[in-house]
Amino acid sequence: MMSTVLSTAQVNSAKVTGRRELHFSKLADIQTDAENLAARPVRQLGNWQLGYALAHLSGAMKICLDGANFKVPFYIRWFAPLLKKKIISSPMKPGFKLPEKAAETLMPSGPVSTQEGLDDLRKTIDRLNREPQRQPSPVFGPMTHEEWDQLHLRHAELHLSFFVPE
């Protein structure tokens, strides 16, 4: 989807070198890193601008609060729970392309300023801290609070690793 690429030169994100090694242990770590990145110049190693990445992270977090408006194929829903523990405890690999229906929900429809993305992420993390309900994952099915948080942490580590403070 070209509309999701916000850089003129397409980068193969699976082959990017120089990414930061991140390990977040709580949602507040994501917000702190995002705020630190937004407060200074950063070198963008991937295809997305910082605001776009922050809005994408927020959109993924909202799925556990509000539910997903897309379904993944049955065979994935059947097989994925067997891998859930490994996926939520291991670093995510770059280069995964979302299926079209998921991308419509998880990808911002256009450019997002750093401030807009940061504001959206802050509001969503606040909701995660305040609201107790969690919806089933469209991939893994029912998940605990802790499992959802771990998934958000790994997801944020992946995307924020593409931004290096200068």
Side-chain angles (χ1 to χ4, degrees):
M1 275 178 91
M2 289 307 288
S3 64
T4 63
V5 178
L6 299 180
S7 176
T8 55
Q10 183 73 14
V11 173
N12 180 347
S13 59
K15 297 186 185 239
V16 168
T17 59
R19 291 174 37 226
R20 296 185 302 148
E21 287 188 30
L22 299 172
H23 185 74
F24 299 137
S25 58
K26 56 189 181 297
L27 296 173
D29 295 343
I30 298 170
Q31 185 169 331
T32 298
D33 193 58
E35 289 172 348
N36 287 336
L37 291 170
R40 63 182 42 86
V42 295
R43 188 166 30 103
Q44 173 187 320
L45 302 178
N47 294 309
W48 297 354
Q49 294 170 346
L50 181 58
Y52 190 90
L54 298 176
H56 167 70
L57 292 174
S58 177
M61 291 173 178
K62 289 174 188 172
I63 285 178
C64 82
L65 294 164
D66 303 325
N69 62 357
F70 61 90
K71 283 197 168 214
V72 298
F74 171 76
Y75 65 91
I76 293 175
R77 286 182 284 140
W78 180 83
F79 189 68
L82 303 173
L83 302 173
K84 177 173 61 173
K85 187 173 183 177
K86 179 176 178 11
I87 291 170
I88 67 174
S89 63
S90 301
M92 289 186 178
K93 301 213 182 304
F96 179 79
K97 183 170 171 38
L98 287 170
E100 187 175 337
K101 291 289 185 193
E104 289 172 6
T105 297
L106 295 170
M107 308 303 275
S109 59
V112 179
S113 74
T114 298
Q115 192 59 53
E116 289 170 326
L118 183 59
D119 289 346
D120 191 24
L121 183 65
R122 283 176 175 149
K123 288 175 189 169
T124 304
I125 289 174
D126 182 56
R127 281 188 66 200
L128 287 169
N129 289 326
R130 282 185 296 106
E131 298 177 20
Q133 84 281 0
R134 294 295 181 267
Q135 301 297 320
S137 162
V139 175
F140 300 112
M143 291 176 59
T144 66
H145 238 251
E146 177 63 22
E147 289 171 333
W148 266 118
D149 284 357
Q150 289 301 310
L151 185 62
H152 297 318
L153 297 171
R154 303 298 78 80
H155 188 223
E157 291 164 359
L158 167 67
H159 288 294
L160 295 180
S161 74
F162 284 92
F163 299 96
V164 180
E166 294 191 329

